[in-house]
Amino acid sequence: YLVFYNAASCAGWFYVLVLILTELVQNGDLTTVYDRAGWVLMIVQTGAILELVHVILGFVRSPLLTTAFQIASRLFLVWGVVDIFPEVQSHWAFTTMTIAWSITECVRYSYYAFNLVGLQLYSLLWCRYTFFFVLYPLGAGSESILVYESLPYSKQLS
């Protein structure tokens, strides 16, 4: 089951990345990515809730609280910021955040899937622990920008 879950998650994130890159190649516009990839991103990211189930059932040895915070923060961004405030959907930070997430998750889920079947690929190990130096600041910075950009609209909501 975990091999299937990780392979399916990798495929979902790869599809999101393909949609983003297709949009960028066809239109060359960072502000139209949500229109092409937003809904798929929301589905794929929401699927990560299963990771909490995996921890609770003992399928994986990850800390429940850490896993919950990581998943909650991303769900907050896709459902609590980007979905609620369409004004930020066209911001370039949505594109950079989604690219960072997509690459990170493709590497992570493929690394897990290969390890589960007994294959330890050095290239994936290298990517997993090297891409982090660029992708983490890019993703976290983009997330922060989107939250900041949503603040004026959230004031209007409350």
Side-chain angles (χ1 to χ4, degrees):
Y1 163 77
L2 284 178
V3 173
F4 172 77
Y5 171 79
N6 286 297
S9 295
C10 179
W13 282 106
F14 184 73
Y15 183 57
V16 170
L17 185 60
V18 167
L19 291 173
I20 295 167
L21 296 177
T22 301
E23 182 65 21
L24 292 176
V25 167
Q26 287 179 350
N27 295 320
D29 187 358
L30 292 174
T31 65
T32 59
V33 166
Y34 180 85
D35 297 334
R36 170 108 26 141
W39 182 242
V40 177
L41 167 71
M42 294 172 87
I43 292 169
V44 172
Q45 184 55 59
T46 303
I49 291 173
L50 287 173
E51 292 185 28
L52 287 173
V53 175
H54 299 160
V55 172
I56 291 167
L57 295 178
F59 291 175
V60 295
R61 293 183 343 201
S62 297
L64 179 61
L65 201 54
T66 303
T67 304
F69 278 129
Q70 289 170 342
I71 293 168
S73 69
R74 289 224 184 148
L75 291 176
F76 166 73
L77 278 152
V78 295
W79 291 104
V81 174
V82 176
D83 185 55
I84 291 178
F85 306 110
E87 297 86 354
V88 302
Q89 294 170 357
S90 61
H91 197 280
W92 59 264
F94 174 80
T95 301
T96 54
M97 175 189 75
T98 308
I99 289 172
W101 286 2
S102 297
I103 295 170
T104 298
E105 300 301 18
C106 284
V107 170
R108 182 171 75 97
Y109 285 119
S110 59
Y111 175 81
Y112 289 157
F114 280 115
N115 278 343
L116 285 168
V117 296
L119 294 173
Q120 295 179 347
L121 303 177
Y122 175 76
S123 57
L124 276 178
L125 180 69
W126 184 86
C127 290
R128 181 149 191 240
Y129 292 104
T130 305
F131 287 7
F132 170 84
F133 292 109
V134 173
L135 296 176
Y136 183 80
L138 178 64
S142 300
E143 293 168 16
S144 299
I145 290 168
L146 287 176
V147 170
Y148 178 77
E149 291 293 321
S150 73
L151 291 177
Y153 308 106
S154 67
K155 279 180 83 172
Q156 295 171 2
L157 220 117
S158 59

